[in-house]
Amino acid sequence: MQVMTPRGPALVEIEEAADARLLLVLTHGSAGTVDAPDLLAVREAALKAGASVARVTQAFRVAGARAPGSPVKQDEAWEIVLEEIRTRLPGLPLVQGGRSNGARVACRTARAVGAVAVVALAFPLHPPGRPERSRADELRGAGVDVLVVNGDRDPFGVPDAADATRLVVLPGEGHDLKRDPARVGEVVAEWIARYA
């Protein structure tokens, strides 16, 4: 489905689980798509675990941009999309998440959209080579439980365990988390089950 935002249309792909007990909303990184290997693996594992899954292509990507621009405007558009998704799938506890920039959006907007938890895949702790520009306060400021899944070879850094409810660091994985995406899916499905 298409959802109009002040930044243009966003695209939402919804897959409903039979007897769904949870709604998981996922989005991509800055230059990525909702078909990234880790997002597809999480979708598959979550559906098997009884969660309906919505994958959101944000308006800036639909428009062809490779960078999200203003966080305030990105978050505003995200909140509109989430309101529409929750209207279509009412009554389910909401866990939202994404990879890289999408994880940042999920953390920043968690309370505003009524999420019970956040899944942060490949959270970009800092720009590559710039550890002094930490974004850990976005994790700490989510206001809900946050699962972080990062690779130990991520050039964007690995958050501190104290900055998340749970931190899972996968050996040999980089920022794309594509070496063993099924493992990423397993970790997420096991963790989100507690919120159903």
Side-chain angles (χ1 to χ4, degrees):
M1 77 179 176
Q2 185 172 288
V3 179
M4 282 306 301
T5 78
R7 302 194 70 191
L11 301 178
V12 182
E13 299 173 51
I14 296 175
E15 294 169 89
E16 293 188 57
D19 300 316
R21 299 173 290 121
L22 184 74
L23 170 60
L24 176 63
V25 180
L26 298 169
T27 194
H28 50 78
S30 288
T33 72
V34 293
D35 293 324
D38 56 344
L39 292 177
L40 291 176
V42 168
R43 176 203 69 184
E44 183 178 336
L47 285 166
K48 287 179 183 173
S52 288
V53 178
R55 290 180 299 144
V56 177
T57 302
Q58 295 177 66
F60 78 91
R61 289 296 292 143
V62 174
R66 292 179 58 83
S70 159
V72 172
K73 290 181 180 178
Q74 184 183 23
D75 294 354
E76 177 189 29
W78 180 257
E79 290 173 24
I80 290 167
V81 172
L82 264 287
E83 184 177 344
E84 182 64 28
I85 293 171
R86 295 198 80 186
T87 298
R88 300 228 178 184
L89 297 171
L92 293 172
L94 168 66
V95 175
Q96 68 173 7
R99 73 166 344 277
S100 194
N101 174 265
R104 295 180 65 197
V105 175
C107 287
R108 292 193 308 253
T109 62
R111 282 185 288 198
V113 300
V116 296
V118 168
V119 172
L121 305 175
F123 186 86
L125 183 62
H126 56 72
R130 304 289 303 273
E132 72 281 2
R133 295 186 55 199
S134 175
R135 299 170 180 138
D137 56 344
E138 290 181 352
L139 286 171
R140 293 190 293 263
V144 299
D145 291 348
V146 180
L147 166 68
V148 175
V149 182
N150 269 60
D152 67 350
R153 296 182 181 180
D154 192 330
F156 289 85
V158 177
D160 190 86
D163 293 329
T165 309
R166 181 165 183 228
L167 171 67
V168 176
V169 180
L170 300 175
E173 289 281 7
H175 191 63
D176 52 18
L177 295 175
K178 69 179 184 181
R179 192 167 173 199
D180 187 3
R183 178 69 185 129
V184 178
E186 289 167 10
V187 169
V188 172
E190 178 186 338
W191 192 75
I192 64 173
R194 71 187 71 190
Y195 302 99

